[in-house]
Amino acid sequence: EHYNRHHVEAAIGVLSGLLADGFSPVLGMEMFAWDAQPAVDRYLADPGVGRGAFLEQAQWKVNWGGEFDNYEPLVTLAQARHLPLRALN
C-alpha cells in the first residue's frame, strides 16, 4: 500500500532477511520513471549527491509527487548495502 510506513518497514525487514541469508536482492521502485535511472545510480554511488539535487534530477515531483520521506528508507538501504535499485515506471 502506497504511503504506508508499515509496509515500507516490512519490505526492509524482508530485504534484511534476504541479505542475512546471503541473497543479493534487487529493488524495483515504480516511484521512479525509467529515465531517472542515471540519477538513481549516481545517488546510490555518490554519498556527496544531495537529497534535493537527487530528487530534482530524478524528477520526483513530476513522476510521483508524494512525500519522498515515505520511501527514503528503501533508497537508504539500497545505498548502504550497495543494492541495485531499478526505476520501473
Side-chain angles (χ1 to χ4, degrees):
E1 182 176 286
H2 294 304
Y3 309 120
N4 187 324
R5 184 67 172 211
H6 298 291
H7 291 188
V8 171
E9 290 169 359
I12 289 172
V14 169
L15 290 165
S16 296
L18 290 169
L19 288 163
D21 287 344
F23 290 94
S24 299
V26 176
L27 277 71
M29 294 181 70
E30 67 175 314
M31 296 80 187
F32 296 105
W34 65 268
D35 57 353
Q37 190 65 56
V40 170
D41 292 342
R42 269 190 306 277
Y43 187 67
L44 294 180
D46 182 1
V49 175
R51 182 181 190 257
F54 162 61
L55 294 177
E56 185 176 320
Q57 292 167 8
Q59 298 183 23
W60 177 264
K61 294 252 184 232
V62 173
N63 186 62
W64 198 251
E67 290 296 321
F68 179 65
D69 294 348
N70 294 323
Y71 308 101
E72 190 169 21
L74 289 167
V75 176
T76 300
L77 176 70
Q79 189 177 48
R81 300 298 299 267
H82 307 288
L83 299 176
L85 193 161
R86 299 292 174 244
L88 298 179
N89 201 348

